[in-house]
Amino acid sequence: MPQIHQVLATLGYGDAIGHEVLGIQRVLRAAGYDSEIFVQTADPRLEHLTQDYRDLESASHPDNILIHHFSIGSRASRMAYALPDRMVLIYHNITPPEFFVDVNKELVQLCYRGRRELSLYKSRCDLALGDSEYNRQELEAIGFSPTGVLDVVPGFSHLSGQPDFTFAKAFDDDWVNLIFVGRVIPNKKIEDVIRFFHAYKTFFNPRSRLLLVGAHSGFERYLTMIHNFIAKVGARDVHLIGHVTNEELTAYYELADVFLCASEHEGFCVPLIESFHMGVPVLAYAATAVPSTMDGAGVLYDTKDPLYVAGLINAIVDDHGLSTRIVDGQYAALDRLEAKDFGATLLAQFPNYCKDVLGGNEHVATVMLTTFSIGVGAGSLLCEKLSGRRIEIGLVPFGSIGLTLFAFDLFLASPATPAPATSTLAGGTFPAAVT
């Protein structure tokens, strides 16, 4: 049986990519595949789950599959390119480097290099997937084919534990709590969140505060800039909470009245969906993937006039009926996301797959469609039995696992794509454009 490994630059603790990588590994191992995670760096709490990317060469084989999570330029990425394994590329988006100028010079170089490297994988991978439609469109614009969307369907088990109010209890009062959850990095535009909150507090509600929940390691310079900005505009009651545990995060969500996002670059933005799940009204800037992630729910704004955004905050806070309708709309969008018809997505690809990959005719496609449809129908009947004829979100992961295994089995049966000419690691070279 071939091995299916994953490779990525960094495995972070508690972030969306990290959750996805670990989840894929659990599914693959449960299906009987040898599956390791090869990284360049990892959070100390996750290092025991990973292997050094330089060990990937000894595990490499032309029959193996590499799932390459691409989100930044790295040595691990170039290692993956050079090996003969077949590749599925999952694109998590690369933040444009200009966001990090004067903040993190190393990251500027990595993001710039990563965007250059990405285009070279057009002929290297068998399949390119974006974890949002926005990311898929970016892949398509670069020239990748075929492309698809591997939707981020976040699990919420990390928010289901007993909330830890040890520190959050200080904010449990009759004040209005605005919250933003995410790393304190420049593309999140934390300064704009503060500017909007400051206008709201000054002109609408002095009994309000802003809670900024998220790590800032590696961006200490930007953190200093944020502190200087707070002092310059005279903003009060702005609390930079920092990194928190899952139980603490749950507590902060439970205390929040509005989730305020001003980010100007997102590939998906999981905290938006977490807020949907926790029943917190979302007010977000309509940039990059944010509108598609919100799927018509929440409230989007397209101007960064502080008084205008402050007025929107006030309307959501003061009008209980409006707030309730927003939350109901968010729950509906979350239901749509969790009920994504992955089966239909696969069915739509069968005719082209049979023609272009298998060299078959419409009769082959019909057989595949029939077989797959029978399997979907049998699975639906089983779910009906297991759920007692109730809508049961807990069964969604099992369906996703089954479809994932089916797709990998189909992938393994497909004709191989030749490795690039520069695929020999010892003495081989990565194309000069990315060295």
Side-chain angles (χ1 to χ4, degrees):
M1 179 181 290
Q3 300 174 1
I4 305 176
H5 301 305
Q6 298 180 83
V7 59
L8 64 159
T10 300
L11 185 65
Y13 179 83
D15 64 16
I17 297 177
H19 283 309
E20 181 177 53
V21 169
L22 295 172
I24 289 174
Q25 184 188 55
R26 284 194 295 269
V27 170
L28 292 173
R29 287 183 169 179
Y33 289 99
D34 288 337
S35 182
E36 301 294 341
I37 300 170
F38 294 89
V39 301
Q40 188 170 319
T41 61
D43 185 283
R45 290 165 289 187
L46 300 176
E47 282 183 346
H48 66 287
L49 301 176
T50 67
Q51 294 193 31
D52 191 289
Y53 76 99
R54 288 167 291 193
D55 296 330
L56 183 56
E57 182 184 8
S58 61
S60 174
H61 190 277
D63 291 339
N64 288 350
I65 295 173
L66 272 183
I67 301 175
H68 183 195
H69 297 268
F70 201 102
S71 61
I72 199 169
S74 68
R75 294 188 296 275
S77 174
R78 294 189 283 280
M79 167 74 79
Y81 184 98
L83 296 173
D85 308 51
R86 302 178 67 190
M87 181 181 291
V88 174
L89 185 141
I90 301 178
Y91 181 49
H92 299 279
N93 205 278
I94 301 173
T95 303
E98 51 265 30
F99 280 107
F100 305 116
V101 173
D102 297 326
V103 175
N104 190 316
K105 291 182 179 179
E106 181 182 3
L107 199 54
V108 170
Q109 295 175 347
L110 290 174
C111 290
Y112 177 70
R113 180 177 294 169
R115 284 187 166 263
R116 286 198 302 167
E117 288 181 12
L118 179 62
S119 63
L120 297 170
Y121 283 84
K122 289 182 291 186
S123 59
R124 173 64 181 91
C125 63
D126 297 79
L127 175 66
L129 302 172
D131 60 5
S132 68
E133 175 60 21
Y134 175 82
N135 289 344
R136 189 205 65 80
Q137 290 177 6
E138 189 168 312
L139 288 171
E140 188 175 63
I142 293 171
F144 281 89
S145 181
T147 63
V149 178
L150 181 67
D151 291 277
V152 176
V153 184
F156 302 112
S157 59
H158 64 295
L159 299 175
S160 62
Q162 185 68 28
D164 182 353
F165 285 94
T166 302
F167 299 105
K169 65 183 179 183
F171 310 118
D172 187 8
D173 50 27
D174 60 352
W175 282 39
V176 168
N177 291 318
L178 305 187
I179 191 173
F180 174 74
V181 176
R183 294 188 67 192
V184 180
I185 55 177
N187 58 294
K188 305 292 186 182
K189 289 295 177 180
I190 305 299
E191 62 271 29
D192 288 345
V193 175
I194 295 169
R195 187 181 287 114
F196 303 152
F197 161 72
H198 182 51
Y200 171 70
K201 186 176 181 70
T202 301
F203 295 105
F204 292 96
N205 185 359
R207 295 173 63 81
S208 58
R209 64 173 67 90
L210 175 62
L211 307 176
L212 298 169
V213 181
H216 50 73
S217 58
F219 290 90
E220 287 75 12
R221 187 170 185 179
Y222 182 59
L223 180 64
T224 299
M225 293 167 65
I226 292 299
H227 282 297
N228 290 339
F229 179 78
I230 292 172
K232 179 180 178 181
V233 302
R236 294 176 294 110
D237 298 304
V238 177
H239 302 269
L240 287 144
I241 306 298
H243 185 74
V244 297
T245 66
N246 290 332
E247 292 75 18
E248 290 171 330
L249 178 60
T250 303
Y252 284 111
Y253 272 129
E254 289 194 0
L255 295 179
D257 296 288
V258 176
F259 184 96
L260 178 59
C261 176
S263 178
E264 293 186 356
H265 188 86
E266 294 290 343
F268 184 82
C269 197
V270 168
L272 296 176
I273 303 302
E274 290 180 340
S275 298
F276 284 15
H277 174 74
M278 296 298 293
V280 182
V282 172
L283 177 60
Y285 184 56
T288 56
V290 169
S292 61
T293 298
M294 292 177 65
D295 190 23
V299 178
L300 292 169
Y301 59 94
D302 57 9
T303 177
K304 287 201 167 183
D305 178 352
L307 195 58
Y308 173 77
V309 178
L312 293 177
I313 297 170
N314 187 61
I316 295 171
V317 172
D318 277 8
D319 189 333
H320 180 71
L322 173 61
S323 177
T324 299
R325 290 195 297 274
I326 291 171
V327 170
D328 288 344
Q330 292 175 177
Y331 283 143
L334 187 59
D335 288 342
R336 291 193 295 273
L337 176 62
E338 293 179 320
K340 281 280 188 179
D341 192 350
F342 298 108
T345 301
L346 283 173
L347 285 172
Q349 303 302 319
F350 277 173
N352 289 334
Y353 175 83
C354 292
K355 176 184 175 183
D356 299 335
V357 178
L358 299 182
N361 56 26
E362 65 273 13
H363 300 298
V364 176
T366 300
V367 171
M368 291 189 67
L369 287 168
T370 302
T371 304
F372 185 79
S373 298
I374 291 173
V376 170
S380 299
L381 291 173
L382 179 60
C383 285
E384 182 184 38
K385 291 283 187 182
L386 294 174
S387 64
R389 296 180 176 238
R390 298 188 306 272
I391 295 176
E392 178 54 67
I393 297 301
L395 295 174
V396 172
F398 294 101
S400 300
I401 288 170
L403 289 170
T404 299
L405 293 177
F406 166 81
F408 270 120
D409 186 58
L410 194 63
F411 183 82
L412 291 170
S414 302
T417 298
T422 55
S423 63
T424 302
L425 188 61
T429 59
F430 197 70
V434 296
T435 55

